């Protein structure tokens, strides 16, 4: 049974059939050219997302490591005699927190300073600084390839 618009779907003229085939071939070629032009841009966007995600992940990991070190420091009392052991315990807490992360190597992590200060109200505070290098996958123009992530966490001593 023929519908009112069936002549649009089924051409009777053989020339119309051949011209439709040619048009499809031109469309396929145009799609391939567009894909070839956009593929490098898509790859660039994906690599940028991967690098940014790796950077954010490592920045959060360094922050958590500094926080773990500061938590260890504020929960344990320190005396001048126990200062070296206390500082080693802080560094161990940072290493333990960071050890489960991808891209972490213990030799790269630096805990340059653990300072104990006192403010005018005689409240003691601990500041832990953690540094870890980060390297991008791609050498992006205008962005350094290697960055040292540094985080400082300061907490008040509870005891």
């Amino acid at each position: 049974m023929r519908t009112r618009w069936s002549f649009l779907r089924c051409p009777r003229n053989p020339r119309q059939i051949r011209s439709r085939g040619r048009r499809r071939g031109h469309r396929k070629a145009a799609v391939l050219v567009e894909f070839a032009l956009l593929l490098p841009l898509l790859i660039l966007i994906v690599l940028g997302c991967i690098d940014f995600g790796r950077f954010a992940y490592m920045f959060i990991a360094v922050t958590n490591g500094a926080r773990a070190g500061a938590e260890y420091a504020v929960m344990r009392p320190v005396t001048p005699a126990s200062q070296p052991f206390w500082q080693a315990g802080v560094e161990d807490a940072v290493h333990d927190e960071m050890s489960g992360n991808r891209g972490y190597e213990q030799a790269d992590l630096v805990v340059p300073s653990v300072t104990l200060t006192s403010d005018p109200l005689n409240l003691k505070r601990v500041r832990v600084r953690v540094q870890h290098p980060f390297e991008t996958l791609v050498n992006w123009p205008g962005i350094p390839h290697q960055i040292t992530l540094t985080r400082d966490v300061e907490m008040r001593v509870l005891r």
Side-chain angles (χ1 to χ4, degrees):
M1 176 169 18
R2 294 182 78 131
T3 62
R4 183 174 169 186
W5 301 102
S6 63
F7 68 90
L8 291 175
R9 281 184 252 134
C10 181
R12 293 185 182 160
N13 187 354
R15 282 187 177 170
Q16 288 179 339
I17 294 172
R18 278 184 266 148
S19 68
R20 274 190 181 177
R22 278 191 227 128
R23 274 188 269 152
R24 282 191 189 129
H26 289 301
R27 278 191 233 146
K28 287 181 184 178
V31 168
L32 285 175
V33 169
E34 290 173 0
F35 181 70
L37 290 174
L38 290 177
L39 185 63
L41 179 65
L42 292 174
I43 290 173
L44 192 69
I45 290 171
V46 167
L47 287 175
C49 290
I50 290 170
D51 259 351
F52 182 73
R54 288 178 62 244
F55 172 78
Y57 177 82
M58 191 51 76
F59 189 75
I60 291 169
V62 170
T63 302
N64 289 342
R67 188 174 297 129
E71 287 172 0
Y72 178 91
V74 299
M75 294 302 291
R76 282 152 182 92
V78 62
T79 61
S82 66
Q83 177 89 20
F85 302 110
W86 178 74
Q87 185 150 355
V90 170
E91 291 176 11
D92 288 342
V94 173
H95 288 294
D96 289 344
E97 178 68 28
M98 296 277 299
S99 65
N101 296 320
R102 291 185 132 190
Y104 167 73
E105 292 182 23
Q106 188 168 354
D108 291 340
L109 185 72
V110 178
V111 183
S113 66
V114 179
T115 56
L116 184 63
T117 59
S118 191
D119 62 6
L121 299 175
N122 203 22
L123 295 174
K124 294 181 180 177
R125 295 186 175 274
V126 172
R127 173 174 284 209
V128 177
R129 172 174 286 175
V130 176
Q131 296 176 340
H132 191 274
F134 175 77
E135 190 172 312
T136 60
L137 292 175
V138 178
N139 288 333
W140 300 100
I143 298 175
H145 180 60
Q146 291 181 334
I147 304 166
T148 300
L149 302 175
T150 303
R151 290 298 292 165
D152 290 331
V153 173
E154 185 174 318
M155 290 185 180
R156 196 179 88 206
V157 176
L158 297 176
R159 297 179 188 177

